Amino acid sequence: MKFITLISFILFIAASAFIIHEEQLLPHLIQPEVPKGWPKPNNIFATNPLTEEGFQLGRKLFYDERLSKDGNFSCASCHQQFAAFATYDHDFSHGFNNQFTTRNAPSLQNLAWVPLYHWDGGVNHIEVQPLSPLTAPNEMAENIDSVLQKLRKDAVYKKMFKNAFGTELINSQRMLKALAQFTGSLVSANSKYDRFKNGQEKFNPSELHGYEVFKAKCATCHNEPLFTDNTFRNNGLPLNSFIKDFGRMRISNESKDSLKFRVPSLRNVGVTQPYMHDGRFYSLGQVIEHYRTGIQQSPTLDSSLREGIAFTKLEKYDLIIFLNTLTDTTFLKNKKYSAPDGNTPLVLSH
Amino acid sequence: MMKHNLKIFSGIYFLFTFLIVLSNTALSQQKGINLKVIFENKVKSDSIILYDSIYTNPFGEKYSINKFRYYISNVRLVNNQGVFTKNTASFLIDEADPQSKEINLKVPMGHYKRLYFLLGVDSSKNVSGAQDGALDPTKDMFWTWNTGYVMAKLEGISTSSSLVNNKYEYHIGGFEGKYNVLKEISFDLPEADDLKPINQLTILITADVNEWWNAVHEIKIIQHAAINSPGALALAMSDNYSKMFRIKKIIIN
């Protein structure tokens, strides 16, 4: 009896030690960032717990050119950190075999507060968004099985998938969840505007005046603190006759959605030029001029834009100064979001 | 004292181990029946031979079949108390993969009157991010530009098609609003009314591709050789293909 007691005790200790050992291997949970005073984000991590290991895996994937067919394009090729993860100075981004995209690459920031992704809202969950650029023939032009085969050959990825998800299994679901952990963590909330609102910094008279103009004339659609109401609206742009992009109508199949596009956030708008779904405007001055004099009437034009928006020269000038207070340099330079060691982001030659 | 404590401790440990073993045994011997649903894809009474056979649709249009796939999910049985046993798993029935055409489920004992299943992927799975298993996007049944699953896919060649290489291609999806193509299919199971715990219930269902063209609405290849997005046409096609199933046989053993 004594012997059995001893054996069972040893087994118990061994089992406990094993459990404790297993616990040490669990990934480390991170609390998703929710800036003070912001609305409640969508729970994008509900079935994908945010962990340090998952975030780091997503970051490596985001900067890995092997995700594209020819090894030339990573997510970061078109989503450059210094441009708030948009493509700087390009109306359309470059893709496989010298092709262009058909829409301006949007910035990637505060994605947990975005209910529907893409200019037309066609993507309903952050996890499935990467499938679109990965497989589009004019973007990364890959197929998912082929990407997974490349990742499975890499011992570093095997280890990172194990650290993030418990086993070395590499499948599309895990890859997509890891990417979502990285992109979903890109929170920009430390611009001069934010510091002004928190009482940490003062606006100069031009910025103050610009802010007043903004609140009176722009905030209906670009409402604070996210600087978008996430709706789809026709803002009076004439149809681009080359790409013939009717926006949300393609998704909803409803003529009432013709020429409607997602209202983009104005955070970091000073570094995300060019503007609009087709990148037709290269400066904020051109954008404001469009609202002042360029509105094209059409049945689906937003009711708030029927008469255009009046701006005096000074209002326009100070509005641009205010919009530049939305640039968050800590976000644009945060090393946490930069290419990890061993992944050098591709710099496109022009 | 020390020795006494150890005895109590080991006693508790033994009891604990015993309980775990007992509960595992109980789970594995849970009273239930095996439900097997077998799908047999056909064109009328002809077997499907992918790529190589030519079939004729109700309008006299000739066609071959290169791909034929559809999702079955939420398989459930209703018994004499009206209680549903529901399984939320999704299965991709792919004509190219014989194993995929057989669904095996463990269901509780009961006097089952009716079989229900969803033709398509439950709408909740279309809005919840990256899925795996039968719903893995690498199965090539997922739209990347307009999130959602292709619920049913039929592709092939037809001389009536004026598209490139005479292709015809129906990718039918859409899970919300007025263009929701999800269809609940149900069948009476009179023979399955007296099942015993040891029973295996096998339901053999045929799916007739020729119902796709005119079961409810007339859709000719010459007019519509491609349907690739949610909308009125996809909805009409789903009305048609929802009529393709017949119960061929119910086996209880």
Side-chain angles (χ1 to χ4, degrees), chain A residues 49-228:
Chain A
L50 179 60
T51 65
E52 178 61 25
E53 290 78 0
F55 171 88
Q56 291 302 343
L57 172 57
R59 178 183 174 197
K60 184 173 170 62
L61 289 163
F62 187 86
Y63 284 97
D64 194 338
E65 287 103 16
R66 284 175 292 177
L67 266 59
S68 64
K69 182 174 182 162
D70 60 2
N72 280 337
F73 303 95
S74 67
C75 307
S77 304
C78 300
H79 295 286
Q80 302 162 308
Q81 186 180 7
F82 64 90
F85 296 97
T87 312
Y88 189 75
D89 208 34
H90 283 63
D91 47 2
F92 301 116
S93 307
H94 300 178
F96 177 70
N97 203 12
N98 295 310
Q99 296 177 86
F100 290 119
T101 58
T102 54
R103 283 178 181 158
N104 183 250
S107 62
L108 305 183
Q109 51 181 338
N110 309 329
L111 296 176
W113 286 266
V114 177
L116 295 170
Y117 303 92
H118 285 188
W119 280 104
D120 57 18
V123 174
N124 67 21
H125 197 290
I126 190 170
E127 287 172 13
V128 295
Q129 190 286 330
L131 292 168
S132 188
L134 278 169
T135 59
N138 59 335
E139 296 190 44
M140 296 163 88
E142 252 298 15
N143 77 65
I144 304 303
D145 273 325
S146 166
V147 171
L148 295 172
Q149 278 167 28
K150 286 185 254 184
L151 301 183
R152 283 171 191 144
K153 283 182 195 147
D154 186 325
V156 178
Y157 271 120
K158 275 187 193 169
K159 190 164 170 255
M160 291 182 80
F161 273 83
K162 186 175 182 194
N163 290 344
F165 298 112
T167 66
E168 286 185 355
L169 172 73
I170 296 180
N171 65 14
S172 70
Q173 188 184 43
R174 286 180 170 191
M175 177 180 76
L176 295 168
K177 282 182 184 291
L179 276 167
Q181 291 196 30
F182 177 71
T183 55
S185 299
L186 300 172
V187 174
S188 174
N190 190 29
S191 62
K192 185 174 184 182
Y193 158 83
D194 295 296
R195 293 191 299 274
F196 166 74
K197 294 297 273 189
N198 294 335
Q200 297 161 302
E201 214 167 318
K202 286 197 163 59
F203 271 173
N204 65 36
S206 269
E207 289 164 342
L208 273 176
H209 179 229
Y211 186 28
E212 291 309 315
V213 173
F214 170 83
K215 283 193 282 190
K217 303 190 176 185
C218 314
T220 311
C221 309
H222 297 285
N223 58 339
E224 301 167 72
L226 290 154
F227 290 86
T228 172

Side-chain angles (χ1 to χ4, degrees), chain B residues 77-238:
Chain B
L77 291 169
V78 59
N79 68 18
N80 47 2
Q81 280 113 40
V83 180
F84 289 92
T85 66
K86 186 169 176 177
N87 183 296
T88 57
S90 300
F91 303 89
L92 177 60
I93 311 298
D94 182 351
E95 179 53 33
D97 175 8
Q99 284 192 331
S100 75
K101 291 186 272 182
E102 192 177 301
I103 293 175
N104 285 290
L105 290 171
K106 190 99 177 164
V107 294
M109 227 181 90
H111 299 275
Y112 292 111
K113 298 274 193 197
R114 216 163 160 75
L115 167 76
Y116 287 82
F117 60 82
L118 195 65
L119 177 47
V121 177
D122 190 85
S123 59
S124 67
K125 297 273 173 48
N126 286 269
V127 296
S128 325
Q131 308 292 319
D132 62 357
L135 298 178
D136 191 314
T138 59
K139 302 282 182 194
D140 200 23
M141 292 291 280
F142 187 79
W143 276 318
T144 60
W145 50 273
N146 186 0
T147 306
Y149 285 91
V150 173
M151 308 301 180
K153 182 182 268 193
L154 178 65
E155 288 182 21
I157 306 292
S158 170
T159 46
S160 296
S161 162
S162 51
L163 297 183
V164 60
N165 297 336
N166 296 120
K167 267 158 71 108
Y168 75 89
E169 194 175 285
Y170 302 126
H171 296 181
I172 309 302
F175 61 90
E176 56 192 349
K178 62 181 178 182
Y179 299 128
N180 183 344
V181 301
L182 292 170
K183 302 285 184 196
E184 187 170 68
I185 311 292
S186 70
F187 291 105
D188 279 330
L189 301 174
E191 300 90 334
D193 197 19
D194 191 24
L195 295 174
K196 293 176 181 64
I198 44 143
N199 283 147
Q200 164 143 330
L201 171 61
T202 305
I203 303 172
L204 186 59
I205 294 176
T206 58
D208 178 3
V209 174
N210 250 15
E211 300 286 353
W212 280 56
W213 323 102
N214 74 339
V216 181
H217 315 277
E218 292 195 347
I219 300 174
K220 292 178 180 160
I221 298 173
I222 196 166
Q223 283 164 342
H224 302 292
I227 304 175
N228 283 325
S229 58
L233 261 176
L235 187 64
M237 189 58 105
S238 72

